[in-house]
Amino acid sequence: MANKDRNKTILLELGKLPENNQCADCSAPDPDWASYKLGVFVCLNCSGVHRNLSNISRVKSIRLDFWDDELVKFMKTNGNATGRAIYEKAVPAFYYRPQQEDCAVLREQWIRAKYERMEFTGETKYPPLAYTTGFYEGMLWKKGKEKGQFQRRKFVLSEKEFTLAYYNKEDPSKGPKALISIKDVNVTFQPEKIGHAHGLQITYQKDSHTRSIFVYHESGEEIVNWFNAIRAARFAYLKTAYPTGSDKELRTRITRNYLKEGYMEKTGPMQKETFKKRWFILDSQDRKLLYFKRQLDAEELGVVFIGTETNGYSVSECIPKRTRGNRWRCGVTVDTPDRQFVFMCEQEREQREWVEALREVISKPMQPQDYTTEANIRGKS
């Protein structure tokens, strides 16, 4: 019993060290689990993935399980810093490192890429890793426009041409249905919205509108490869467009998750029209609040630019109003230099979250390209 208590104390102290006090795989704080084959400290969620890699990793709770002296000695000799030096030695600058709030498939494939497939040890891979070749093609399930059903479509990504193409038929001789410039592409995982654990949303600009493609693949490894291949092409484009930018600076602009999404009710420009339910997306990087009739629509109905207070923009909670069905709703008011927008939420919690998210965007200084975006949006309204 004395040995058990002593070893538990040692493990808890090891877990508090700066190099170990975050999960080795998703950076969640205060990990309570550890892989005694890899020598790293991990959180509860990531420990579940490690359990499925039993030939590579074995996990125990550092609080509840028994640890013998040899295993404790192994953990003291290793730790997260040592693990990163081995398993993350050569992670490409564009490769997405998942955080604790990211979806399960991203975290799982990151862990498998590190420990199972050994993709980042710095050793030469042959054949080379698919997402590093500058060219990627394959079949994805894409949501159709008419009936909303997902159909198999061929996608081709070219880093050399900075394009992403997809074909309506498997015969490429008929030409692509769409040829998308990597310049304006964003890609983000949307499993709940799409209804598939591997659901991916690809967004791009077309004729001054934001277009979205919703896709998935049965294989978690394949869909994450697509995600990182697109990120690689985006990174290559940014290196060309901003040759003086550092990798650290450019990395933040490769792709992004949207700051907030969800349903609100919206009235018309006179604020006398009937409130209608719309799906909203707040894109903090482009400073856009987009709204759609449905959450899987390919094109937005409209967009509101979110500037700064010094440029005449503000957001506030508004008093409850009656909307459809004669029901009271709490709302969000967005004031712009041209007009006022009123959006209604079903719950006060949603109201607070929208206000906080919008204020976060308003508090950010505008970049030179934001003034062009603002002028284009205000010119259309």
Side-chain angles (χ1 to χ4, degrees):
M1 183 61 69
N3 252 11
K4 179 180 178 181
D5 291 340
R6 177 172 58 82
N7 285 343
K8 177 181 176 179
T9 300
I10 293 172
L11 287 168
L12 291 175
E13 290 301 315
L14 287 173
K16 292 177 183 177
L17 294 175
E19 61 265 33
N20 296 328
N21 64 5
Q22 291 184 326
C23 173
D25 299 321
C26 75
S27 300
D30 307 317
D32 280 341
W33 293 77
S35 168
Y36 58 86
K37 290 189 73 173
L38 298 171
V40 295
F41 292 83
V42 296
C43 68
L44 176 62
N45 285 336
C46 291
S47 73
V49 181
H50 281 259
R51 285 193 190 91
N52 293 327
L53 306 176
S54 57
N55 58 325
I56 296 167
S57 181
R58 297 286 179 87
V59 291
K60 285 187 177 189
S61 168
I62 62 175
R63 294 182 180 275
L64 304 176
D65 291 329
F66 172 77
W67 289 73
D68 62 35
D69 293 345
E70 287 300 313
L71 294 183
V72 173
K73 182 179 178 182
F74 180 74
M75 294 303 300
K76 287 176 70 175
T77 304
N78 291 277
N80 291 2
T82 301
R84 277 192 292 272
I86 298 171
Y87 300 107
E88 299 180 28
K89 181 180 179 180
V91 181
F94 62 80
Y95 197 97
Y96 186 77
R97 298 169 181 254
Q99 301 300 299
Q100 66 178 117
E101 65 274 9
D102 281 310
C103 63
V105 68
L106 266 177
R107 288 185 283 108
E108 178 185 356
Q109 291 305 317
W110 166 241
I111 291 169
R112 288 186 179 275
K114 282 204 297 184
Y115 308 119
E116 184 178 54
R117 300 193 292 269
M118 304 283 283
E119 292 182 8
F120 314 123
T121 58
E123 299 172 1
T124 302
K125 302 291 182 182
Y126 187 82
L129 298 171
Y131 53 81
T132 66
T133 63
F135 182 84
Y136 204 92
E137 65 177 336
M139 305 298 291
L140 295 172
W141 289 94
K142 175 188 173 292
K143 179 182 174 292
K145 183 178 180 181
E146 301 300 328
K147 298 182 180 179
Q149 296 177 332
F150 282 81
Q151 300 168 315
R152 278 171 57 85
R153 294 291 181 253
K154 181 178 180 179
F155 282 76
V156 177
L157 175 70
S158 171
E159 186 176 303
K160 180 180 178 181
E161 303 293 334
F162 293 137
T163 57
L164 173 67
Y166 74 88
Y167 298 79
N168 261 359
K169 304 296 181 182
E170 294 190 17
D171 181 7
S173 64
K174 296 183 178 180
K177 172 68 175 176
L179 188 64
I180 302 164
S181 170
I182 288 296
K183 175 179 179 290
D184 298 312
V185 163
N186 185 49
V187 59
T188 179
F189 276 92
Q190 297 277 16
E192 292 183 7
K193 183 196 289 191
I194 294 173
H196 193 283
H198 305 157
L200 202 62
Q201 180 175 351
I202 302 170
T203 306
Y204 61 100
Q205 298 298 306
K206 181 181 179 182
D207 301 328
S208 300
H209 286 280
T210 300
R211 299 276 300 177
S212 291
I213 298 173
F214 301 95
V215 299
Y216 72 85
H217 195 280
E218 300 90 336
S219 163
E221 180 181 354
E222 179 68 7
I223 199 66
V224 173
N225 279 348
W226 268 106
F227 176 68
N228 281 300
I230 294 172
R231 282 179 59 86
R234 277 279 301 156
F235 187 64
Y237 166 77
L238 291 170
K239 295 281 278 188
T240 302
Y242 307 99
T244 60
S246 68
D247 286 0
K248 183 178 180 180
E249 291 169 333
L250 298 180
R251 203 156 34 221
T252 62
R253 300 192 64 85
I254 300 176
T255 60
R256 72 273 187 191
N257 295 329
Y258 298 119
L259 186 57
K260 172 109 180 113
E261 295 189 59
Y263 280 111
M264 291 192 289
E265 293 185 9
K266 176 189 177 297
T267 186
M270 304 300 294
Q271 297 189 19
K272 295 179 180 179
E273 297 86 349
T274 302
F275 277 86
K276 295 180 179 179
K277 192 174 184 180
R278 297 291 183 249
W279 180 262
F280 285 80
I281 293 177
L282 180 57
D283 184 345
S284 60
Q285 182 168 294
D286 284 351
R287 309 188 76 103
K288 291 179 180 179
L289 179 64
L290 304 121
Y291 55 92
F292 305 77
K293 188 174 182 180
R294 292 171 293 268
Q295 60 180 335
L296 293 182
D297 281 355
E299 188 172 299
E300 89 279 6
L301 291 174
V303 58
V304 181
F305 183 81
I306 308 297
T308 62
E309 283 191 357
T310 55
N311 290 331
Y313 294 83
S314 64
V315 60
S316 60
E317 298 176 1
C318 70
I319 59 174
K321 295 186 178 183
R322 293 186 187 273
T323 60
R324 291 186 303 170
N326 204 31
R327 294 175 296 180
W328 287 97
R329 292 288 184 265
C330 45
V332 178
T333 300
V334 177
D335 287 294
T336 76
D338 299 324
R339 56 177 287 198
Q340 183 183 77
F341 297 86
V342 178
F343 311 115
M344 308 309 293
C345 308
E346 291 192 356
Q347 299 176 358
E348 289 185 11
R349 175 184 57 80
E350 293 175 347
Q351 178 194 44
R352 287 194 303 271
E353 289 177 356
W354 276 110
V355 169
E356 288 173 4
L358 287 161
R359 283 177 176 165
E360 182 178 330
V361 178
I362 287 175
S363 68
K364 290 169 39 180
M366 287 175 60
Q367 302 300 314
Q369 65 269 19
D370 295 330
Y371 292 96
T372 303
T373 304
E374 178 187 34
N376 290 338
I377 293 174
R378 290 175 65 180
K380 292 191 298 181
S381 60

